[in-house]
């Protein structure tokens, strides 16, 4: 499959795409509103970072107990139910006078619910597209995510200048409800990809099997750690520049969009496969300049250039799929998504804690340095994997 146009002629691709777009828009508008609400109430970089990225911390629980559902639950019902749960949770967060403890409880519950979403969505995408369609399909989803984040953060920043954060949270509720409706009406009722009950033991067994291969382990760590630390930098935009946070988030999304277009559409496969490490280095290096506490225009350039490095994820996911049997695709992608979001949440908490005792600029520099060190260590470890330990790519029969 070449190009993006044939994707929209594939049954079910368009409603899955539109539902994900509405969810991404809801997440950006709602996340910025919630982070602003908490920062105005507390003045704490740590709490504002956790309010936006705290749901990611619950992903580790989902990856431990719920992830077998990515292949064992009906996709249409599950995806629509997740959107409805987020609509309900966001509505609760918008309630006036909600105690901070209750707000963060909702944040963590929504993170637990979301732990199923990545595996179900990407497993369904892998199922409905031809074998050579997953990478362009995922690339297009990433590009859409970038555009929705640009629009969402820009719109959210403008709305927060006029309306209260709680009013913006209600807009996010409406977007989540729209996503649920599109997914419920647009997708067909498919059976689960795997048999058996959703259970912690099934999740543990499949995760252990996925983790048992050293090439897959290194691929997972490359997907989780370097970008997670850079997301820790992003979690400090609100405390670094409270009145320009929407601009910084939008420009970061613009850079991610450019990286995904380049990697997913413009580069030949032979070139693309060699770029994972250079792109991860690009992802972190510009944040080292934050040590000098640059003004907002310079910071905007740094985050835009850095975020192009998120295109490394496409290269790494393509490799992960080549190492994974088809009947485990949903759980493999769900483990990737849950692990990535978990480390993003951990990194946001760590970055917020460092910023609490130093400054947001210093914390960004620390997280970027850690990302660079991890990337270089993983590249060295991958180069030492013996050829006999590298499994052949698993291909579907027929």
């Amino acid at each position: 499959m070449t190009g993006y146009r044939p994707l929209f002629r594939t049954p079910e691709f368009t409603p899955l795409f539109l539902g994900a777009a509405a969810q991404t828009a809801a997440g950006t508008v709602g996340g910025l509103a919630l982070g602003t609400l908490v920062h105005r109430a507390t003045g704490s970089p740590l709490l504002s970072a956790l309010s936006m990225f705290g749901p990611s911390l619950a992903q580790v629980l989902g990856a431990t107990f719920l992830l077998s559902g990515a292949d064992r639950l009906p996709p249409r019902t599950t995806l629509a139910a997740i959107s409805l749960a987020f609509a309900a949770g966001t509505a609760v967060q918008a309630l006036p006078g909600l105690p901070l403890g209750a707000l963060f409880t909702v944040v963590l519950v929504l993170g637990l619910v979301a732990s199923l979403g990545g595996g179900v969505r990407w497993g369904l995408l892998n199922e409905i597209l031809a074998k050579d369609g997953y990478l362009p399909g995922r690339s297009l989803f990433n590009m859409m995510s970038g555009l929705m984040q640009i629009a969402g953060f820009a719109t959210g920043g403008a709305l927060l200048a006029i309306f209260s954060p709680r009013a913006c949270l209600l807009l996010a509720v409406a977007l989540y409800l729209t996503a649920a409706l599109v997914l419920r009406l647009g997708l067909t009722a498919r059976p689960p990809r795997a048999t058996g009950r959703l259970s912690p033991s099934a999740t543990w067994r499949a995760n252990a099997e996925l983790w048992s291969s050293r090439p897959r382990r290194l691929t997972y760590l490359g997907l989780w750690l370097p970008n997670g630390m850079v997301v820790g930098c992003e979690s400090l935009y609100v405390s670094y520049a409270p009145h320009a946070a929407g601009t910084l988030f939008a420009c970061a999304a613009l850079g991610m969009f450019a990286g995904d277009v380049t990697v997913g559409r413009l580069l030949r496969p032979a070139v693309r496969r060699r770029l994972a490490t250079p792109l991860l280095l690009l992802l972190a290096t510009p944040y080292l300049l934050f040590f000098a506490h640059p003004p907002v225009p310079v910071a905007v350039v740094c985050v835009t250039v850095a975020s192009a490095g998120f295109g490394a994820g496409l290269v790494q996911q393509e490799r992960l799929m080549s190492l994974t049997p088809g009947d485990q695709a949903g759980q493999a992608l769900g483990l990737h998504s849950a692990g990535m979001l978990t480390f993003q949440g951990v990194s946001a908490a760590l970055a917020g804690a460092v910023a609490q005792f130093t400054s947001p600029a210093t914390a960004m520099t620390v997280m970027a340095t850690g990302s660079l060190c991890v990337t270089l260590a993983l590249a060295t470890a991958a180069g030492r994997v013996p050829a006999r330990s590298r499994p052949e790519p698993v291909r579907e029969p027929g």
Side-chain angles (χ1 to χ4, degrees), residues 237 240 248 286-294 299 302-303 361-362 364-365:
Y237 289 170
Y240 182 81
L248 289 171
Y287 281 98
L288 298 178
L289 298 178
F290 275 80
F291 182 75
H293 206 295
C302 289
V303 303
T362 299
M364 288 179 177
T365 308

Side-chain angles (χ1 to χ4, degrees), residues 56-67 108 112 115 203-204 338 342:
S56 303
L57 291 172
Q59 296 281 336
V60 68
L61 294 176
T64 303
F65 296 105
L66 301 177
L67 204 52
L108 292 176
L112 187 61
S115 63
T203 299
W204 298 336
T342 296

Side-chain angles (χ1 to χ4, degrees), residues 177-205:
L177 291 174
T178 301
L181 186 64
V182 169
L183 293 167
R184 181 64 181 80
L185 297 180
L187 296 177
T188 59
R190 287 173 172 263
R193 284 179 294 275
T195 58
R197 293 186 303 108
L198 186 158
S199 69
S201 60
T203 299
W204 298 336
R205 284 195 302 271

Side-chain angles (χ1 to χ4, degrees), residues 305-357:
V305 172
S307 296
F310 280 115
L314 289 174
V315 183
Q316 294 165 308
Q317 287 174 62
E318 186 177 36
R319 173 165 172 74
L320 179 63
M321 285 295 90
S322 75
L323 298 171
T324 303
D327 61 354
Q328 290 183 306
Q331 180 143 353
L333 291 167
L335 183 60
H336 149 55
S337 180
M340 178 184 69
L341 292 171
T342 296
F343 279 102
Q344 287 178 3
V346 170
S347 296
L350 179 59
V354 174
Q356 194 80 22
F357 293 101

Side-chain angles (χ1 to χ4, degrees), residues 42-131:
T42 66
S44 167
L46 174 60
L47 293 179
S48 62
L50 285 177
S51 66
M52 294 187 69
F53 295 91
S56 303
L57 291 172
Q59 296 281 336
V60 68
L61 294 176
T64 303
F65 296 105
L66 301 177
L67 204 52
S68 63
D71 293 306
R72 290 174 169 80
L73 293 174
R76 181 180 69 174
T77 301
T78 305
L79 291 173
I82 289 172
S83 292
L84 289 174
F86 266 82
T90 305
V92 171
Q93 291 172 338
L95 292 174
L98 185 70
L100 202 60
L103 186 148
F104 277 101
T105 298
V106 174
V107 165
L108 292 176
V109 169
L110 290 180
L112 187 61
V113 171
S115 63
L116 275 175
V120 176
R121 180 185 300 117
W122 305 132
L124 178 59
L125 181 67
N126 191 59
E127 185 177 353
I128 65 179
L129 294 179
K131 193 63 179 174

